[in-house]
Amino acid sequence: VTSAARSAADATMVRVALMVVGPAGSGKSTFCELMHAHGETLRRRLHVVNLDPAAEHFGYPVSADIRELITLEDAMSELNLGPNGGLIYCMEHLVDNMQWLNDELDEIGDDEYVLLDCPGQIELYSHVPAMQQVVAELQRSNFRVAAAYMLDSQFVADASKFISGVLCCLSAMTSLELPHINVLSKCDLLPSRRALD
């Protein structure tokens, strides 16, 4: 293989990323932890990037961490913001500093699977454009991006909660404009499996 052919192949190398999104407490980090472990079992390298500036504990090795760029605590204290405003500010700061994320992803390499453990604030996937801008930048960086929306299975036990959860899923799907899968999480915590039927 000539170096020109190798360069052409490298230029068309497509990278794969899965954005793990959903409300706070829906199991996004647990999903990332289990997917990472599953990848290890299959002898595939999966890298998890933490995009949640409020996260503190991880059950998986963190390949890149937004808290190296900005933390929710810093945004709240320095700008006198509450948790919601601080989280939105952090994601807008990420968008303004996308070169940081690009550099971190370049260090991971091209032939790797990347999971993006995203924050759990619904506004980020419905009407604040920050996550759409992150998606657009990932796609410009030659990533094929998909989304997995985590929805706590407790939502299926109550009709109004279920409709609310499904509408949030739909809002995220239409906002992100990505191939999308909805995942009912925490099914093992349901008092009865009949709720899933």
Side-chain angles (χ1 to χ4, degrees), residues 8-76:
D10 290 343
T12 60
M13 175 79 64
V14 176
R15 302 188 286 177
V16 178
L18 178 66
M19 294 186 74
V20 182
V21 301
S26 62
K28 296 179 298 296
S29 294
T30 301
F31 177 84
C32 289
E33 178 183 352
L34 293 172
M35 288 298 292
H36 183 269
H38 182 66
E40 282 184 336
T41 301
L42 297 176
R43 295 193 172 125
R44 292 190 179 144
R45 290 184 306 263
L46 259 139
H47 299 272
V48 185
V49 174
N50 174 46
L51 291 184
D52 185 353
E56 295 179 355
H57 307 287
F58 304 100
Y60 53 80
V62 179
S63 296
D65 190 349
I66 190 175
R67 295 173 311 156
E68 295 171 7
L69 178 67
I70 190 168
T71 66
L72 177 60
E73 185 177 299
D74 289 344
M76 288 172 57

Side-chain angles (χ1 to χ4, degrees), residues 179-194:
H180 184 99
I181 184 171
N182 295 321
V183 178
L184 277 177
S185 61
K186 303 181 180 182
C187 291
D188 57 322
L189 300 179
L190 284 174
S192 168
R193 304 260 328 157
R194 282 191 216 158

Side-chain angles (χ1 to χ4, degrees), residues 74-90:
D74 289 344
M76 288 172 57
S77 64
E78 291 176 22
L79 300 170
N80 199 26
L81 296 170
N84 290 341
L87 197 49
I88 290 171
Y89 177 82
C90 289

Side-chain angles (χ1 to χ4, degrees), residues 1-13 110:
V1 176
T2 67
S3 63
R6 191 173 314 127
S7 295
D10 290 343
T12 60
M13 175 79 64
D110 287 335

